[in-house]
Amino acid sequence: MAHPYVLLLLAMLMFSGNFIVGKAFSDTIPPLTLSFMRFAMAAVILLPLGWQEIMNNKALWRQEWRPLAGLALTLGLFNVMLYTSVHYTTTINASIVDALTPAVAAMLGFLFLKERLLSKQVAGIIISFAGVVWIVSRGSLGTLLSLSINPGDLLMLLGVVSWAVYSIFIKQYGHRFPFYGGIIMTMVFGAVFLLPAAAFEWRDGFPIEWTVSHISGLLYIGIFPSALAILLWNRGVAEVGPSQASIFFNLVPLFTTVAAVLFLGESFGLVQLVGGALVLGACTSPPNHKGCLIKGAWHLL
């Protein structure tokens, strides 16, 4: 078995690839259709691993359909926002805004779960939001005041909120479900919810052209970030614990930036550098948690 850090690194690479493939398809596959395909393929791919859990817990699925629906809706909305946002903004910007998730999750935890926020966490949240404001305003106060902000950055921010709510649902209800069965049923619920919306995009014909590039990209989304990355993440968390494993999510913007520059020809400038440093360098984690970038990197050495 590979070292858990290697498994976690591979998982982050796969999550980063989701931004790249989403951007590559942003002008050819509508976001609702792409999100539906991701959920449906992930459910089919993971089904052999969780089939027994699903069959053994039929009463559980009927009893707990509301939490499952909440998980599916928030996860589905995150995917739709991600794939829509990269139609308007760069994958680099989207991935940096996505790194705001810990700060948003901390705020929602304080508001709805009555979790404690220390002054250091509050400062980290403010710094993180300042970094995102810098990104969406392109470092220009005039842009901010005139509200001429890239809609893609704002859509990704809505996706971050959705993912943070999903994380709260996981914290509250995730323990009720078996691991593989819970993931598969969430994907099934998500596919069912997304199907009518995606079908609206098919009113003039199914929008996917079955070319080699489209098929390869869809298989990547279904297999790697949606299925295999989850399995690697689960194994890594089991080995090193969720606190230490969460550090690796800070690598997603880094991996995405490198891939976007190499494969999509995107540019990385001072705006992204300053904004990314503020978002990733601010510590919004609870006390004794190694979740911020600088402190977490030190503990990995």
Side-chain angles (χ1 to χ4, degrees):
M1 176 64 66
H3 192 283
Y5 289 171
V6 175
L7 302 181
L8 292 168
L9 280 170
L10 290 173
M12 296 308 110
L13 279 170
M14 294 174 192
F15 287 139
S16 302
N18 190 40
F19 285 89
I20 303 301
V21 176
K23 180 67 172 180
F25 286 160
S26 62
D27 293 326
T28 57
I29 301 180
L32 292 168
T33 299
L34 190 55
S35 300
F36 166 75
M37 294 294 292
R38 178 178 181 180
F39 274 69
M41 289 188 297
V44 171
I45 291 166
L46 290 171
L47 188 59
L49 295 174
W51 175 254
Q52 200 60 52
E53 291 181 353
I54 292 173
M55 299 305 294
N56 291 341
N57 292 277
K58 292 180 180 178
L60 176 66
W61 313 129
R62 289 192 295 268
Q63 180 181 349
E64 300 290 347
W65 69 269
R66 290 181 181 85
L68 280 172
L71 289 167
L73 283 171
T74 50
L75 185 58
L77 182 59
F78 168 76
N79 280 278
V80 171
M81 291 297 101
L82 188 160
Y83 294 139
T84 306
S85 72
V86 294
H87 180 77
Y88 300 100
T89 191
T90 66
T91 54
I92 295 174
N93 277 21
S95 65
I96 293 175
V97 173
D98 183 56
L100 187 66
T101 299
V104 175
M107 289 179 58
L108 294 180
F110 171 76
L111 292 173
F112 299 107
L113 302 182
K114 308 303 180 184
E115 293 180 345
R116 185 184 178 194
L117 277 180
L118 298 183
S119 56
K120 184 169 74 171
Q121 290 176 269
V122 174
I125 290 171
I126 294 172
I127 294 171
S128 292
F129 272 96
V132 169
V133 170
W134 178 270
I135 288 288
V136 301
S137 67
R138 299 185 292 279
S140 168
L141 180 61
T143 298
L144 191 62
L145 293 177
S146 66
L147 297 179
S148 58
I149 296 171
N150 189 315
D153 296 332
L154 295 181
L155 288 170
M156 192 64 233
L157 187 57
L158 290 176
V160 166
V161 174
S162 182
W163 180 267
V165 175
Y166 169 78
S167 300
I168 289 177
F169 285 165
I170 283 288
K171 186 171 184 178
Q172 288 185 304
Y173 305 112
H175 64 279
R176 300 183 185 181
F177 308 115
F179 179 73
Y180 295 114
I183 293 175
I184 294 168
M185 292 302 295
T186 299
M187 296 297 180
V188 169
F189 269 65
V192 171
F193 291 148
L194 284 166
L195 180 57
F200 180 76
E201 296 176 337
W202 307 343
R203 60 193 183 280
D204 296 323
F206 194 63
I208 298 178
E209 297 180 6
W210 298 111
T211 63
V212 173
S213 61
H214 276 190
I215 293 173
S216 300
L218 290 172
L219 287 175
Y220 176 87
I221 287 176
I223 294 172
F224 293 99
S226 305
L228 185 55
I230 292 176
L231 302 181
L232 294 176
W233 170 255
N234 181 56
R235 174 60 64 181
V237 169
E239 293 290 333
V240 305
S243 176
Q244 195 165 347
S246 66
I247 304 165
F248 285 81
F249 271 109
N250 292 314
L251 295 173
V252 172
L254 174 61
F255 291 155
T256 303
T257 296
V258 173
V261 171
L262 291 177
F263 301 115
L264 300 178
E266 293 186 3
S267 59
F268 179 77
L270 182 62
V271 169
Q272 289 78 15
L273 178 62
V274 173
L278 289 172
V279 173
L280 295 174
C283 189
T284 58
S285 304
N288 302 319
H289 190 284
K290 307 181 185 70
C292 52
L293 179 63
I294 297 173
K295 183 179 178 183
W298 173 258
H299 281 273
L300 287 177
L301 294 176

